[in-house]
Amino acid sequence: MEEFRNSYVGSNLFAGLFKLWIKLCYSMGDVIVTPSEYSKKLLESYHIKKDIVVISNGIDLSEYNKNESAGKDFRVKYGYSDSDKVIMSAGLTIKRKGILDFIELAKRMPQYKFIWFGSADLRFVGKEVRRAVAEDIPNLTFAGYVPPEQLKAAYSGSDLFLFPSYEETEGIVVLEALAMKIPVLLRNIPVYDGWLVDVKHLYKADSIEAFEKTACMILEHQLPELTEWGYDAVEKKNIQHIGSQLLGAYKMAIKAKSSVRAALATKCKL
């Protein structure tokens, strides 16, 4: 429900119904797999009587390596010079993802280039977002949806990944950015607690003013470089580790189903 809010027109109005529907869906399973401790706590607050296992979405680190040549191609494609400092983000162009804040930052920081990857049907995102996206801001580009290889090129060619999302259950693009060893600045929200530490793995901000100040300091090399530490954090979520964890969840589900069948068989005999 938390991710459903602030997404499309009417989403807040129907969030309660969505919660009831998703509780029903989850209750039909034998084991629930969720990608973070934060999302597990949310599901537990729904009072779902099922085993809930935390397993990251994971990332194939062999597929995410910085490529200087691809990064240069990205800059040529979007008209950026070698001296331009580029701030990128990725996600649906909806309020929950922080698109309005990203646009405001572009206005406040005309000395930098901003580019957002991803899109949404603007007919359903609300007037506020439609108006903001339609503004003519010279240093802001909306690249829309692009194939994974082009997004990797953007990671390679940008100077900062800024992710102002207000609500996530993990944040796959954050994993990707950390794997690509690009400096990362994101909103200080609970989902990152415990595995991404501010001023250790990356930088966090709580407001437009903090985003602006910290982004400038990162781009002007006034803050320590944290990309290697960030990579260490995401390395624990390599898909190879995730595979073995999923196997454990599958075994748990089989065991749960077997227990139910045994209980039903005993009841029938009685």
Side-chain angles (χ1 to χ4, degrees), residues 6-11 91-95 97 99 116 118-131 133-134 142 144-145:
N6 295 315
S7 53
Y8 297 98
V9 174
S11 60
L92 295 171
T93 49
I94 57 177
K95 190 174 181 179
K97 289 290 185 178
I99 184 64
W116 182 287
S119 61
D121 192 326
L122 294 180
R123 293 174 298 174
F124 305 114
V125 297
K127 292 181 180 178
E128 187 178 17
V129 173
R130 280 201 302 273
R131 284 197 297 263
V133 170
F142 286 103
Y145 172 81

Side-chain angles (χ1 to χ4, degrees), residues 251-263:
K251 289 180 177 178
M252 184 184 296
I254 292 170
K255 184 177 179 180
K257 180 63 73 176
S258 298
S259 298
V260 170
R261 287 174 177 169

Side-chain angles (χ1 to χ4, degrees), residues 44-104:
E44 288 175 339
S45 73
Y46 292 1
H47 305 295
I48 299 170
K49 305 301 182 182
K50 298 289 181 176
D51 289 323
I52 302 175
V53 181
V54 175
I55 302 177
S56 168
N57 288 299
I59 184 170
D60 187 350
L61 291 180
S62 66
E63 293 292 325
Y64 288 86
N65 298 287
K66 197 160 190 173
N67 185 320
E68 290 188 9
S69 177
K72 290 179 180 178
D73 290 342
F74 154 74
R75 284 181 171 256
V76 170
K77 178 179 175 67
Y78 291 98
Y80 301 137
S81 70
D82 291 341
S83 60
D84 283 333
K85 293 182 178 179
V86 181
I87 299 173
M88 69 168 287
S89 194
L92 295 171
T93 49
I94 57 177
K95 190 174 181 179
R96 175 176 66 81
K97 289 290 185 178
I99 184 64
L100 296 176
D101 294 331
F102 194 79
I103 293 170
E104 176 62 24

